[in-house]
Amino acid sequence: MGFLVTRTPNEPFLEEVRCVRADLTERCETCDVTFEADSNLSKDPFRVWNIRPFRRGILGKGVSVGTFFCATFLSKDADLNVACLKNCDSSLHAMPNLNQIHCLINHFGPTVYFHPDEVYMPSSVSWFFKNGALLYRSGKDKGEPINSLGSNLPRGGSNDGEFWIGLPNNSNDDDNTIKRGNIDSAELYIHVKPALGGTFTDIVMWVFCPFNGPATLKVGLISIPMNKIGEHVGDWEHFTLRISNFTGELWSVYFSQHSGGEWIEASELEFIEGNRPIVYSSKGGHASFPHPGSYIRGSSKLGIGVRNDAAKSKYYVDSSIKYNVIAAEYLGNGVDEPYWLEYMREWGPTVVYDSRSELDKIINLLPPFVRFSVENLFDLFPTEIYGEEGPTGPKEKNNWSGDERW
């Protein structure tokens, strides 16, 4: 299950170790490095890793037990000689019932702050539908209005490119009302699921914004706002509260940041009014961060990448009050899922950007001694700024049934 560390070369007493049946264990893998030091016995440094179950998500049975793995060398596909525990009880009796879910959200629900200069605010899905969103079909120029419940959207299937949601053709100007959203109508959409063999509850909070604004590129001390690059209709972002089913404590929060994210332990969070964390949504792109500041996605070492600015403002949504529980599969029929949740196609049309000409302009602004070739500069920026497939809804995301990306 892990390593036992002693201060002497003597073997530990038998009372200090226990045996576990193999059928009650699960394969595990290393995650983050917690300690690293040079070794006198090896050219490779001595490292200590945290370990986690290899199979995670709704169906994962592995249970983390707080142990670690250590070595001076670890190949990518190495089979560790340690394991995690396995929860063989499929009843998930430690998971909260619906009333307890509401209590947890009321107690721990974060306040989401949007940047003071944010133009593209969140809204409810029904507001988006009622204020002009259209359902388009391949081969047809005109879109069909979507009713407020989304009950006329195609349900099930897969993202086959046959349908997508878009704006009316006269909605290209930046002053368009639907693009700007409506924060007064906004609510957090809640998906509750078991984590780590049912020893934790993940409360996933989805934020919907009708529009994702253009990117701002940072090159050294220069920040360059893009005209169109990074824009798309229909932006789904999320963050996740992980709560212990043993103690009811908030263990950590996952902050989703475009194609990745990070878990932050509760002790490192900012809080408002007791036990409710603060989430900062970045300007334009709506990525989630635990603290205010300017974050770079690209090469932070070189100071080159997409800039994400996060700050507190008068624009916020209190998720402990404004929320809607949309799914909790382990409760059976305990939660009525909205019609639009079964829409598996894109929430915006596919867009392709002329990024090369935009980046050529950036190159010309750089001093000669720091100038990069266009090809090298391309490698430093996140791939989504070069083109954007219409984003899919929550159920099409990997983390709906799987674990977060970390």
Side-chain angles (χ1 to χ4, degrees):
M1 305 304 298
F3 288 82
L4 180 64
V5 178
T6 63
R7 294 183 178 181
T8 70
N10 300 323
E11 290 185 0
F13 294 107
L14 291 178
E15 292 79 11
E16 298 183 52
V17 297
R18 294 291 185 272
C19 293
V20 179
R21 281 172 24 198
D23 61 318
L24 298 179
T25 64
E26 277 272 298
R27 178 185 172 188
C28 66
E29 65 181 12
T30 58
C31 43
D32 49 300
V33 175
T34 60
F35 177 79
E36 181 174 331
D38 292 331
S39 171
N40 294 328
L41 303 177
S42 172
K43 64 178 181 179
D44 298 306
F46 174 79
R47 292 188 178 96
V48 177
W49 292 266
N50 283 328
I51 55 176
R52 63 186 180 187
F54 180 76
R55 298 178 186 87
R56 300 182 303 281
I58 289 178
L59 300 178
K61 297 181 179 181
V63 177
S64 292
V65 291
T67 54
F68 61 88
F69 181 82
C70 57
T72 53
F73 176 76
L74 181 65
S75 63
K76 182 178 180 181
D77 300 320
D79 187 13
L80 307 184
N81 57 355
V82 296
C84 295
L85 287 177
K86 180 180 180 179
N87 182 6
C88 296
D89 184 355
S90 60
S91 65
L92 297 175
H93 62 273
M95 292 293 293
N97 60 35
L98 190 55
N99 287 335
Q100 291 169 330
I101 288 172
H102 288 298
C103 288
L104 289 171
I105 296 171
N106 295 154
H107 189 69
F108 291 120
T111 294
V112 185
Y113 281 100
F114 293 84
H115 195 275
D117 298 326
E118 181 62 74
V119 175
Y120 305 106
M121 293 292 179
S123 78
S124 67
V125 170
S126 60
W127 182 92
F128 179 59
F129 291 161
K130 288 189 290 187
N131 283 270
L134 299 173
L135 176 65
Y136 289 87
R137 184 166 189 167
S138 179
K140 295 187 177 182
D141 294 331
K142 298 186 69 174
E144 172 189 347
I146 305 169
N147 66 47
S148 61
L149 298 177
S151 60
N152 61 326
L153 291 170
R155 303 177 68 189
S158 60
N159 184 20
D160 53 10
E162 185 69 16
F163 297 92
W164 64 89
I165 294 174
L167 304 182
N169 292 330
N170 61 353
S171 301
N172 294 324
D173 58 290
D174 289 335
D175 293 328
N176 183 268
T177 300
I178 191 171
K179 283 186 176 182
R180 290 178 174 269
N182 182 271
I183 197 169
D184 291 335
S185 73
E187 58 185 359
L188 279 293
Y189 297 102
I190 310 299
H191 178 211
V192 186
K193 59 180 184 176
L196 300 178
T199 56
F200 288 85
T201 294
D202 275 3
I203 299 179
V204 188
M205 297 192 161
W206 291 92
V207 182
F208 177 74
C209 296
F211 199 74
N212 190 99
T216 296
L217 304 186
K218 183 174 175 61
V219 182
L221 299 177
I222 305 172
S223 292
I224 307 165
M226 298 289 96
N227 292 324
K228 295 292 182 183
I229 292 176
E231 286 187 347
H232 62 82
V233 175
D235 189 27
W236 282 103
E237 300 290 345
H238 77 281
F239 52 89
T240 299
L241 311 183
R242 179 157 286 179
I243 297 170
S244 170
N245 287 340
F246 292 111
T247 65
E249 294 176 294
L250 176 65
W251 201 259
S252 56
V253 176
Y254 180 81
F255 294 83
S256 175
Q257 297 153 6
H258 306 296
S259 58
E262 59 180 340
W263 283 104
I264 301 295
E265 294 183 3
S267 61
E268 299 176 14
L269 299 170
E270 294 182 25
F271 289 88
I272 184 172
E273 297 180 10
N275 295 310
R276 297 194 291 110
I278 294 176
V279 174
Y280 294 92
S281 179
S282 67
K283 179 176 176 282
H286 311 122
S288 299
F289 294 94
H291 305 289
S294 183
Y295 300 85
I296 303 298
R297 291 189 65 244
S299 173
S300 56
K301 182 177 181 181
L302 296 174
I304 298 176
V306 175
R307 178 171 169 171
N308 290 273
D309 293 325
K312 189 178 289 189
S313 75
K314 64 180 180 180
Y315 307 115
Y316 65 88
V317 179
D318 182 353
S319 70
S320 71
I321 300 171
K322 302 190 69 176
Y323 69 91
N324 182 5
V325 179
I326 60 171
E329 292 90 344
Y330 71 93
L331 291 177
N333 297 322
V335 175
D336 294 326
E337 297 187 358
Y339 291 108
W340 54 260
L341 189 58
E342 290 297 323
Y343 172 71
M344 300 300 180
R345 275 76 173 192
E346 294 171 353
W347 285 70
T350 298
V351 179
V352 178
Y353 306 116
D354 184 11
S355 301
R356 185 170 293 274
S357 62
E358 291 272 10
L359 290 175
D360 277 335
K361 296 176 184 177
I362 298 174
I363 296 294
N364 294 332
L365 292 173
L366 296 175
F369 61 90
V370 293
R371 190 168 293 172
F372 292 89
S373 68
V374 172
E375 290 78 11
N376 288 338
L377 196 57
F378 260 65
D379 292 338
L380 297 177
F381 292 135
T383 56
E384 59 261 31
I385 75 165
Y386 310 128
E388 181 68 50
E389 291 186 357
T392 51
K395 264 198 176 181
E396 277 287 282
K397 309 295 187 186
N398 292 335
N399 71 299
W400 183 267
S401 58
D403 195 16
E404 303 290 355
R405 300 174 182 174
W406 57 296

